[in-house]
Amino acid sequence: MVKIKEENGQFVVYVRGAVTAIFPTKTEAETFAVKQTQYPTQEETLIADNQEDVPNGIRD
């Protein structure tokens, strides 16, 4: 759970109750909070089945 609180003129971002970051503007704090709640995108890796390195295409 992410919360943003204004404290002493700064915006503090809390993640799971712990201080994670402090920003001078609410916009920066909100942008950071959104990034904290998104899952990272994983890059897909194509695996080519290269038969050239195995004689007769037979693998162990």
Short mmCIF file of all heavy atoms in Angstrom, two decimals:
data_model
loop_
_atom_site.label_atom_id
_atom_site.label_comp_id
_atom_site.label_asym_id
_atom_site.label_seq_id
_atom_site.Cartn_x
_atom_site.Cartn_y
_atom_site.Cartn_z
N MET A 1 0.85 -1.18 0.00
CA MET A 1 0.00 0.00 0.00
C MET A 1 0.90 1.25 0.00
O MET A 1 1.84 1.35 0.77
CB MET A 1 -0.89 -0.04 1.23
CG MET A 1 -1.69 1.18 1.46
SD MET A 1 -3.41 0.71 1.49
CE MET A 1 -4.18 2.25 1.24
N VAL A 2 0.59 2.16 -0.87
CA VAL A 2 1.36 3.39 -1.01
C VAL A 2 0.53 4.56 -0.52
O VAL A 2 -0.63 4.71 -0.88
CB VAL A 2 1.77 3.62 -2.48
CG1 VAL A 2 2.52 4.92 -2.64
CG2 VAL A 2 2.60 2.46 -2.99
N LYS A 3 1.15 5.40 0.32
CA LYS A 3 0.48 6.60 0.82
C LYS A 3 1.41 7.79 0.63
O LYS A 3 2.62 7.66 0.73
CB LYS A 3 0.15 6.47 2.31
CG LYS A 3 -0.91 5.44 2.62
CD LYS A 3 -1.24 5.43 4.09
CE LYS A 3 -2.29 4.39 4.40
NZ LYS A 3 -2.64 4.36 5.82
N ILE A 4 0.79 8.95 0.39
CA ILE A 4 1.55 10.19 0.27
C ILE A 4 1.02 11.15 1.33
O ILE A 4 -0.18 11.38 1.42
CB ILE A 4 1.38 10.82 -1.13
CG1 ILE A 4 1.89 9.86 -2.20
CG2 ILE A 4 2.11 12.16 -1.20
CD1 ILE A 4 1.61 10.30 -3.62
N LYS A 5 1.94 11.67 2.14
CA LYS A 5 1.56 12.63 3.18
C LYS A 5 2.42 13.87 3.06
O LYS A 5 3.61 13.79 2.76
CB LYS A 5 1.77 12.03 4.58
CG LYS A 5 0.82 10.91 4.91
CD LYS A 5 1.03 10.46 6.35
CE LYS A 5 0.09 9.34 6.72
NZ LYS A 5 0.31 8.90 8.11
N GLU A 6 1.79 15.03 3.32
CA GLU A 6 2.56 16.27 3.31
C GLU A 6 3.08 16.49 4.73
O GLU A 6 2.33 16.51 5.70
CB GLU A 6 1.68 17.44 2.89
CG GLU A 6 2.47 18.74 2.79
CD GLU A 6 1.64 19.91 2.31
OE1 GLU A 6 0.44 19.73 2.04
OE2 GLU A 6 2.21 21.01 2.24
N GLU A 7 4.39 16.63 4.82
CA GLU A 7 5.03 16.84 6.11
C GLU A 7 6.07 17.95 5.97
O GLU A 7 7.00 17.82 5.17
CB GLU A 7 5.70 15.56 6.61
CG GLU A 7 4.72 14.43 6.85
CD GLU A 7 5.40 13.15 7.29
OE1 GLU A 7 6.64 13.13 7.45
OE2 GLU A 7 4.68 12.15 7.47
N ASN A 8 5.90 19.01 6.72
CA ASN A 8 6.84 20.13 6.71
C ASN A 8 7.09 20.69 5.31
O ASN A 8 8.23 21.00 4.94
CB ASN A 8 8.17 19.73 7.35
CG ASN A 8 7.98 19.29 8.78
OD1 ASN A 8 7.16 19.84 9.51
ND2 ASN A 8 8.73 18.27 9.20
N GLY A 9 6.05 20.78 4.51
CA GLY A 9 6.18 21.36 3.18
C GLY A 9 6.73 20.42 2.13
O GLY A 9 6.93 20.81 0.99
N GLN A 10 6.98 19.18 2.51
CA GLN A 10 7.48 18.19 1.54
C GLN A 10 6.49 17.03 1.49
O GLN A 10 5.71 16.82 2.42
CB GLN A 10 8.86 17.69 1.94
CG GLN A 10 9.92 18.77 1.86
CD GLN A 10 11.30 18.21 2.12
OE1 GLN A 10 11.48 17.32 2.93
NE2 GLN A 10 12.29 18.75 1.41
N PHE A 11 6.55 16.28 0.41
CA PHE A 11 5.63 15.16 0.23
C PHE A 11 6.38 13.86 0.42
O PHE A 11 7.33 13.56 -0.30
CB PHE A 11 4.97 15.24 -1.15
CG PHE A 11 4.08 16.45 -1.27
CD1 PHE A 11 4.59 17.67 -1.70
CD2 PHE A 11 2.75 16.38 -0.90
CE1 PHE A 11 3.78 18.79 -1.78
CE2 PHE A 11 1.93 17.50 -0.98
CZ PHE A 11 2.44 18.71 -1.42
N VAL A 12 5.96 13.11 1.43
CA VAL A 12 6.63 11.87 1.81
C VAL A 12 5.82 10.70 1.27
O VAL A 12 4.61 10.62 1.47
CB VAL A 12 6.76 11.77 3.34
CG1 VAL A 12 7.50 10.49 3.73
CG2 VAL A 12 7.47 13.00 3.89
N VAL A 13 6.52 9.79 0.58
CA VAL A 13 5.88 8.59 0.04
C VAL A 13 6.18 7.43 0.98
O VAL A 13 7.34 7.14 1.28
CB VAL A 13 6.39 8.27 -1.38
CG1 VAL A 13 5.70 7.03 -1.93
CG2 VAL A 13 6.18 9.46 -2.31
N TYR A 14 5.11 6.79 1.44
CA TYR A 14 5.22 5.62 2.31
C TYR A 14 4.80 4.38 1.53
O TYR A 14 3.78 4.37 0.86
CB TYR A 14 4.30 5.75 3.52
CG TYR A 14 4.68 6.83 4.49
CD1 TYR A 14 4.24 8.13 4.34
CD2 TYR A 14 5.48 6.54 5.59
CE1 TYR A 14 4.58 9.13 5.23
CE2 TYR A 14 5.84 7.52 6.49
CZ TYR A 14 5.39 8.81 6.31
OH TYR A 14 5.73 9.79 7.21
N VAL A 15 5.62 3.34 1.59
CA VAL A 15 5.28 2.05 1.01
C VAL A 15 5.28 1.03 2.14
O VAL A 15 6.29 0.86 2.81
CB VAL A 15 6.27 1.63 -0.10
CG1 VAL A 15 5.92 0.26 -0.66
CG2 VAL A 15 6.28 2.67 -1.22
N ARG A 16 4.11 0.43 2.37
CA ARG A 16 3.92 -0.54 3.46
C ARG A 16 4.31 0.06 4.81
O ARG A 16 4.90 -0.59 5.66
CB ARG A 16 4.70 -1.81 3.20
CG ARG A 16 4.23 -2.55 1.99
CD ARG A 16 4.95 -3.85 1.80
NE ARG A 16 4.52 -4.49 0.58
CZ ARG A 16 5.27 -5.31 -0.11
NH1 ARG A 16 6.48 -5.61 0.28
NH2 ARG A 16 4.79 -5.85 -1.21
N GLY A 17 4.02 1.34 4.98
CA GLY A 17 4.25 2.00 6.26
C GLY A 17 5.65 2.56 6.46
O GLY A 17 5.91 3.23 7.45
N ALA A 18 6.56 2.30 5.54
CA ALA A 18 7.93 2.79 5.67
C ALA A 18 8.17 3.94 4.69
O ALA A 18 7.68 3.93 3.57
CB ALA A 18 8.93 1.66 5.39
N VAL A 19 8.95 4.92 5.12
CA VAL A 19 9.29 6.05 4.25
C VAL A 19 10.15 5.53 3.11
O VAL A 19 11.18 4.89 3.33
CB VAL A 19 10.05 7.15 5.03
CG1 VAL A 19 10.50 8.25 4.09
CG2 VAL A 19 9.17 7.72 6.13
N THR A 20 9.71 5.80 1.88
CA THR A 20 10.44 5.34 0.71
C THR A 20 11.13 6.48 -0.01
O THR A 20 12.25 6.33 -0.49
CB THR A 20 9.47 4.64 -0.28
OG1 THR A 20 8.81 3.59 0.42
CG2 THR A 20 10.20 4.06 -1.44
N ALA A 21 10.46 7.64 -0.08
CA ALA A 21 11.04 8.79 -0.79
C ALA A 21 10.38 10.07 -0.31
O ALA A 21 9.27 10.06 0.21
CB ALA A 21 10.87 8.62 -2.29
N ILE A 22 11.10 11.18 -0.51
CA ILE A 22 10.58 12.51 -0.15
C ILE A 22 10.78 13.42 -1.36
O ILE A 22 11.86 13.44 -1.96
CB ILE A 22 11.33 13.07 1.08
CG1 ILE A 22 11.15 12.14 2.27
CG2 ILE A 22 10.84 14.48 1.40
CD1 ILE A 22 12.01 12.51 3.47
N PHE A 23 9.71 14.16 -1.70
CA PHE A 23 9.75 15.03 -2.87
C PHE A 23 9.28 16.43 -2.51
O PHE A 23 8.44 16.59 -1.62
CB PHE A 23 8.86 14.47 -3.98
CG PHE A 23 9.34 13.14 -4.51
CD1 PHE A 23 8.83 11.96 -4.01
CD2 PHE A 23 10.31 13.08 -5.49
CE1 PHE A 23 9.27 10.74 -4.48
CE2 PHE A 23 10.76 11.86 -5.98
CZ PHE A 23 10.24 10.69 -5.47
N PRO A 24 9.75 17.44 -3.24
CA PRO A 24 9.32 18.81 -2.97
C PRO A 24 7.92 19.12 -3.51
O PRO A 24 7.27 20.05 -3.04
CB PRO A 24 10.37 19.67 -3.66
CG PRO A 24 10.94 18.79 -4.73
CD PRO A 24 10.84 17.38 -4.20
N THR A 25 7.46 18.33 -4.51
CA THR A 25 6.13 18.60 -5.08
C THR A 25 5.26 17.35 -5.01
O THR A 25 5.77 16.21 -5.03
CB THR A 25 6.22 19.03 -6.55
OG1 THR A 25 6.72 17.95 -7.34
CG2 THR A 25 7.11 20.25 -6.73
N LYS A 26 3.96 17.57 -4.97
CA LYS A 26 3.02 16.46 -4.91
C LYS A 26 3.03 15.67 -6.22
O LYS A 26 2.90 14.45 -6.23
CB LYS A 26 1.61 16.98 -4.62
CG LYS A 26 0.61 15.89 -4.39
CD LYS A 26 -0.73 16.43 -3.96
CE LYS A 26 -1.69 15.29 -3.65
NZ LYS A 26 -2.98 15.78 -3.20
N THR A 27 3.22 16.37 -7.34
CA THR A 27 3.25 15.71 -8.65
C THR A 27 4.38 14.68 -8.72
O THR A 27 4.18 13.56 -9.20
CB THR A 27 3.42 16.75 -9.77
OG1 THR A 27 2.36 17.70 -9.67
CG2 THR A 27 3.40 16.11 -11.14
N GLU A 28 5.56 15.06 -8.25
CA GLU A 28 6.69 14.13 -8.25
C GLU A 28 6.41 12.93 -7.35
O GLU A 28 6.73 11.80 -7.70
CB GLU A 28 7.97 14.83 -7.79
CG GLU A 28 8.52 15.83 -8.78
CD GLU A 28 9.71 16.58 -8.24
OE1 GLU A 28 9.59 17.24 -7.19
OE2 GLU A 28 10.79 16.47 -8.86
N ALA A 29 5.82 13.19 -6.20
CA ALA A 29 5.49 12.11 -5.27
C ALA A 29 4.48 11.16 -5.89
O ALA A 29 4.61 9.93 -5.77
CB ALA A 29 4.97 12.68 -3.96
N GLU A 30 3.47 11.70 -6.56
CA GLU A 30 2.45 10.85 -7.19
C GLU A 30 3.03 10.03 -8.34
O GLU A 30 2.71 8.85 -8.49
CB GLU A 30 1.29 11.72 -7.69
CG GLU A 30 0.44 12.28 -6.57
CD GLU A 30 -0.59 13.29 -7.04
OE1 GLU A 30 -0.45 13.82 -8.17
OE2 GLU A 30 -1.52 13.55 -6.27
N THR A 31 3.91 10.63 -9.12
CA THR A 31 4.56 9.91 -10.22
C THR A 31 5.39 8.76 -9.67
O THR A 31 5.34 7.64 -10.19
CB THR A 31 5.46 10.86 -11.04
OG1 THR A 31 4.65 11.92 -11.55
CG2 THR A 31 6.14 10.14 -12.18
N PHE A 32 6.13 9.00 -8.62
CA PHE A 32 6.93 7.96 -7.99
C PHE A 32 6.03 6.86 -7.44
O PHE A 32 6.33 5.67 -7.60
CB PHE A 32 7.78 8.56 -6.86
CG PHE A 32 8.61 7.54 -6.13
CD1 PHE A 32 9.80 7.08 -6.66
CD2 PHE A 32 8.19 7.03 -4.91
CE1 PHE A 32 10.57 6.14 -5.99
CE2 PHE A 32 8.94 6.09 -4.22
CZ PHE A 32 10.13 5.65 -4.77
N ALA A 33 4.94 7.22 -6.80
CA ALA A 33 4.02 6.25 -6.21
C ALA A 33 3.43 5.34 -7.28
O ALA A 33 3.30 4.12 -7.08
CB ALA A 33 2.92 6.96 -5.44
N VAL A 34 3.09 5.90 -8.43
CA VAL A 34 2.55 5.09 -9.53
C VAL A 34 3.59 4.08 -10.00
O VAL A 34 3.28 2.90 -10.22
CB VAL A 34 2.09 5.99 -10.70
CG1 VAL A 34 1.81 5.17 -11.95
CG2 VAL A 34 0.86 6.77 -10.30
N LYS A 35 4.83 4.51 -10.12
CA LYS A 35 5.89 3.60 -10.56
C LYS A 35 6.11 2.47 -9.55
O LYS A 35 6.44 1.35 -9.93
CB LYS A 35 7.20 4.36 -10.77
CG LYS A 35 7.17 5.24 -11.99
CD LYS A 35 8.47 5.98 -12.17
CE LYS A 35 8.41 6.91 -13.36
NZ LYS A 35 9.65 7.68 -13.51
N GLN A 36 5.92 2.75 -8.27
CA GLN A 36 6.11 1.74 -7.24
C GLN A 36 5.02 0.67 -7.26
O GLN A 36 5.22 -0.43 -6.75
CB GLN A 36 6.16 2.39 -5.85
CG GLN A 36 7.38 3.24 -5.61
CD GLN A 36 8.66 2.43 -5.72
OE1 GLN A 36 8.83 1.43 -5.04
NE2 GLN A 36 9.54 2.85 -6.60
N THR A 37 3.87 1.01 -7.82
CA THR A 37 2.76 0.05 -7.82
C THR A 37 2.63 -0.71 -9.13
O THR A 37 1.77 -1.56 -9.25
CB THR A 37 1.43 0.77 -7.52
OG1 THR A 37 1.22 1.79 -8.49
CG2 THR A 37 1.44 1.40 -6.14
N GLN A 38 3.48 -0.41 -10.11
CA GLN A 38 3.42 -1.12 -11.38
C GLN A 38 4.42 -2.27 -11.38
O GLN A 38 5.51 -2.16 -10.83
CB GLN A 38 3.75 -0.18 -12.53
CG GLN A 38 2.72 0.89 -12.76
CD GLN A 38 3.11 1.84 -13.87
OE1 GLN A 38 4.28 1.93 -14.24
NE2 GLN A 38 2.16 2.56 -14.40
N TYR A 39 4.01 -3.35 -12.01
CA TYR A 39 4.92 -4.47 -12.16
C TYR A 39 5.86 -4.18 -13.33
O TYR A 39 5.44 -3.63 -14.34
CB TYR A 39 4.15 -5.76 -12.45
CG TYR A 39 3.36 -6.25 -11.28
CD1 TYR A 39 1.99 -6.05 -11.22
CD2 TYR A 39 3.99 -6.89 -10.23
CE1 TYR A 39 1.26 -6.50 -10.13
CE2 TYR A 39 3.28 -7.33 -9.13
CZ TYR A 39 1.91 -7.14 -9.09
OH TYR A 39 1.20 -7.58 -8.01
N PRO A 40 7.12 -4.55 -13.19
CA PRO A 40 8.04 -4.30 -14.30
C PRO A 40 7.68 -5.17 -15.50
O PRO A 40 7.24 -6.30 -15.35
CB PRO A 40 9.41 -4.71 -13.74
CG PRO A 40 9.11 -5.60 -12.59
CD PRO A 40 7.76 -5.19 -12.07
N THR A 41 7.85 -4.63 -16.67
CA THR A 41 7.58 -5.42 -17.87
C THR A 41 8.80 -6.29 -18.15
O THR A 41 9.93 -5.85 -18.03
CB THR A 41 7.30 -4.52 -19.08
OG1 THR A 41 8.41 -3.64 -19.25
CG2 THR A 41 6.03 -3.71 -18.90
N GLN A 42 8.52 -7.52 -18.51
CA GLN A 42 9.61 -8.44 -18.80
C GLN A 42 9.79 -8.52 -20.31
O GLN A 42 8.84 -8.59 -21.06
CB GLN A 42 9.29 -9.82 -18.25
CG GLN A 42 9.20 -9.85 -16.75
CD GLN A 42 8.90 -11.24 -16.24
OE1 GLN A 42 8.73 -12.17 -17.00
NE2 GLN A 42 8.84 -11.39 -14.94
N GLU A 43 11.05 -8.52 -20.70
CA GLU A 43 11.34 -8.63 -22.12
C GLU A 43 11.30 -10.10 -22.51
O GLU A 43 11.78 -10.97 -21.78
CB GLU A 43 12.73 -8.08 -22.42
CG GLU A 43 12.84 -6.59 -22.21
CD GLU A 43 14.22 -6.07 -22.58
OE1 GLU A 43 14.92 -6.76 -23.35
OE2 GLU A 43 14.56 -5.00 -22.10
N GLU A 44 10.70 -10.36 -23.65
CA GLU A 44 10.65 -11.72 -24.13
C GLU A 44 11.94 -12.05 -24.84
O GLU A 44 12.49 -11.24 -25.57
CB GLU A 44 9.48 -11.90 -25.09
CG GLU A 44 8.13 -11.79 -24.41
CD GLU A 44 7.00 -12.08 -25.36
OE1 GLU A 44 7.24 -12.70 -26.42
OE2 GLU A 44 5.88 -11.69 -25.06
N THR A 45 12.43 -13.25 -24.62
CA THR A 45 13.65 -13.70 -25.26
C THR A 45 13.32 -14.89 -26.14
O THR A 45 12.74 -15.87 -25.67
CB THR A 45 14.71 -14.12 -24.21
OG1 THR A 45 14.94 -13.02 -23.34
CG2 THR A 45 16.00 -14.54 -24.87
N LEU A 46 13.66 -14.77 -27.39
CA LEU A 46 13.43 -15.89 -28.31
C LEU A 46 14.61 -16.84 -28.23
O LEU A 46 15.77 -16.44 -28.27
CB LEU A 46 13.28 -15.37 -29.74
CG LEU A 46 12.08 -14.46 -29.99
CD1 LEU A 46 12.11 -13.96 -31.43
CD2 LEU A 46 10.79 -15.19 -29.71
N ILE A 47 14.29 -18.11 -28.13
CA ILE A 47 15.33 -19.13 -28.08
C ILE A 47 15.29 -19.89 -29.40
O ILE A 47 14.30 -20.55 -29.72
CB ILE A 47 15.11 -20.09 -26.89
CG1 ILE A 47 15.13 -19.31 -25.59
CG2 ILE A 47 16.15 -21.20 -26.90
CD1 ILE A 47 14.76 -20.13 -24.38
N ALA A 48 16.35 -19.78 -30.15
CA ALA A 48 16.42 -20.45 -31.44
C ALA A 48 16.96 -21.85 -31.23
O ALA A 48 17.95 -22.06 -30.53
CB ALA A 48 17.31 -19.67 -32.40
N ASP A 49 16.30 -22.82 -31.82
CA ASP A 49 16.75 -24.21 -31.73
C ASP A 49 17.75 -24.43 -32.86
O ASP A 49 17.38 -24.64 -34.01
CB ASP A 49 15.56 -25.15 -31.84
CG ASP A 49 15.95 -26.59 -31.54
OD1 ASP A 49 17.06 -26.82 -31.02
OD2 ASP A 49 15.15 -27.49 -31.84
N ASN A 50 19.02 -24.35 -32.53
CA ASN A 50 20.07 -24.46 -33.53
C ASN A 50 20.48 -25.92 -33.68
O ASN A 50 21.14 -26.48 -32.82
CB ASN A 50 21.26 -23.60 -33.12
CG ASN A 50 22.29 -23.51 -34.21
OD1 ASN A 50 22.20 -24.20 -35.22
ND2 ASN A 50 23.26 -22.65 -34.03
N GLN A 51 20.10 -26.52 -34.79
CA GLN A 51 20.40 -27.93 -35.03
C GLN A 51 21.79 -28.13 -35.63
O GLN A 51 22.26 -29.25 -35.73
CB GLN A 51 19.35 -28.53 -35.98
CG GLN A 51 17.96 -28.56 -35.39
CD GLN A 51 17.81 -29.59 -34.29
OE1 GLN A 51 18.51 -30.59 -34.28
NE2 GLN A 51 16.94 -29.32 -33.34
N GLU A 52 22.44 -27.06 -36.05
CA GLU A 52 23.72 -27.19 -36.74
C GLU A 52 24.83 -27.73 -35.85
O GLU A 52 25.74 -28.38 -36.32
CB GLU A 52 24.13 -25.84 -37.31
CG GLU A 52 23.20 -25.36 -38.41
CD GLU A 52 23.57 -23.97 -38.89
OE1 GLU A 52 24.75 -23.60 -38.76
OE2 GLU A 52 22.67 -23.27 -39.38
N ASP A 53 24.77 -27.48 -34.54
CA ASP A 53 25.85 -27.87 -33.66
C ASP A 53 25.70 -29.30 -33.14
O ASP A 53 26.53 -29.80 -32.41
CB ASP A 53 25.98 -26.91 -32.48
CG ASP A 53 24.73 -26.86 -31.64
OD1 ASP A 53 23.66 -27.27 -32.11
OD2 ASP A 53 24.81 -26.40 -30.49
N VAL A 54 24.63 -29.99 -33.54
CA VAL A 54 24.40 -31.36 -33.08
C VAL A 54 24.33 -32.29 -34.29
O VAL A 54 23.51 -32.08 -35.18
CB VAL A 54 23.06 -31.46 -32.28
CG1 VAL A 54 22.82 -32.87 -31.80
CG2 VAL A 54 23.08 -30.49 -31.13
N PRO A 55 25.19 -33.31 -34.34
CA PRO A 55 25.18 -34.19 -35.49
C PRO A 55 23.83 -34.90 -35.63
O PRO A 55 23.28 -35.38 -34.65
CB PRO A 55 26.31 -35.18 -35.24
CG PRO A 55 26.82 -34.92 -33.88
CD PRO A 55 26.19 -33.65 -33.38
N ASN A 56 23.30 -34.96 -36.82
CA ASN A 56 22.05 -35.63 -37.15
C ASN A 56 20.84 -35.06 -36.40
O ASN A 56 19.79 -35.68 -36.38
CB ASN A 56 22.12 -37.14 -36.89
CG ASN A 56 23.20 -37.79 -37.72
OD1 ASN A 56 23.44 -37.37 -38.85
ND2 ASN A 56 23.85 -38.79 -37.19
N GLY A 57 20.99 -33.94 -35.76
CA GLY A 57 19.86 -33.33 -35.05
C GLY A 57 19.39 -34.10 -33.83
O GLY A 57 18.30 -33.88 -33.33
N ILE A 58 20.20 -35.01 -33.33
CA ILE A 58 19.83 -35.81 -32.16
C ILE A 58 20.48 -35.21 -30.93
O ILE A 58 21.68 -34.98 -30.89
CB ILE A 58 20.26 -37.29 -32.33
CG1 ILE A 58 19.58 -37.89 -33.57
CG2 ILE A 58 19.92 -38.09 -31.07
CD1 ILE A 58 20.10 -39.25 -33.93
N ARG A 59 19.67 -34.98 -29.93
CA ARG A 59 20.18 -34.40 -28.68
C ARG A 59 20.06 -35.41 -27.55
O ARG A 59 19.21 -36.28 -27.58
CB ARG A 59 19.38 -33.15 -28.32
CG ARG A 59 19.52 -32.04 -29.33
CD ARG A 59 18.70 -30.85 -28.91
NE ARG A 59 18.72 -29.83 -29.93
CZ ARG A 59 19.55 -28.81 -29.94
NH1 ARG A 59 20.40 -28.63 -28.98
NH2 ARG A 59 19.51 -27.94 -30.94
N ASP A 60 20.92 -35.27 -26.58
CA ASP A 60 20.87 -36.19 -25.42
C ASP A 60 19.71 -35.87 -24.53
O ASP A 60 19.30 -34.81 -24.31
CB ASP A 60 22.16 -36.08 -24.61
CG ASP A 60 23.33 -36.63 -25.39
OD1 ASP A 60 23.10 -37.47 -26.28
OD2 ASP A 60 24.47 -36.22 -25.10
#
